[in-house]
Amino acid sequence: MGTVRNILQAKGHAVYSINPDSSVFEALKVLVDRNVGALMVVDDQGKFLGVFSERDYARRVILKGRASKETTIREIMTERPITVCENDSIEDCMVKMTDKRIRHLPVTDEQQRLIGLISIGDVVKFIIDEQRYIINNLESYISGTHT
């Protein structure tokens, strides 16, 4: 099975982020504009602080009767999120996502710097592509067209 590195090689290392002092309303606009479900929270020095997701919005703003224009990301973000590194296996990512019921895994390097992000959709796509590749090779082998 592949690794996080394989996913990042295919999709790239681009990460959408937001400052912790931005309003939730501003973050929601970015989510919509970028068509993503989560933003990484990064301070002015580029330090990775946490994650803001649609789930954070639903549970910590809407259900608590808070106003999105007055609430900052810092107040509601998920601090110390579960992360992975490039060498982690796709299987390990699936286990973490399933056990913790999360959809996004920030990817960090040895110094805990943010270098990417993978989603449950990225993991599923990788597994489907890998299975398709194996099936095609097996079909070629069985039919005698394998080179």
Side-chain angles (χ1 to χ4, degrees), residues 60-99:
R60 297 181 184 144
V61 176
I62 294 298
L63 290 178
K64 301 227 178 200
R66 298 170 101 172
S68 60
K69 288 186 177 180
E70 284 81 43
T71 305
T72 64
I73 294 300
R74 183 183 307 281
E75 295 174 67
I76 66 157
M77 69 183 189
T78 299
E79 295 181 80
R80 295 177 299 283
I82 295 167
T83 62
V84 293
C85 68
E86 287 186 300
N87 294 327
D88 286 344
S89 73
I90 302 301
E91 185 175 293
D92 289 341
C93 294
M94 287 189 312
V95 169
K96 287 179 181 182
M97 289 175 151
T98 302
D99 288 350

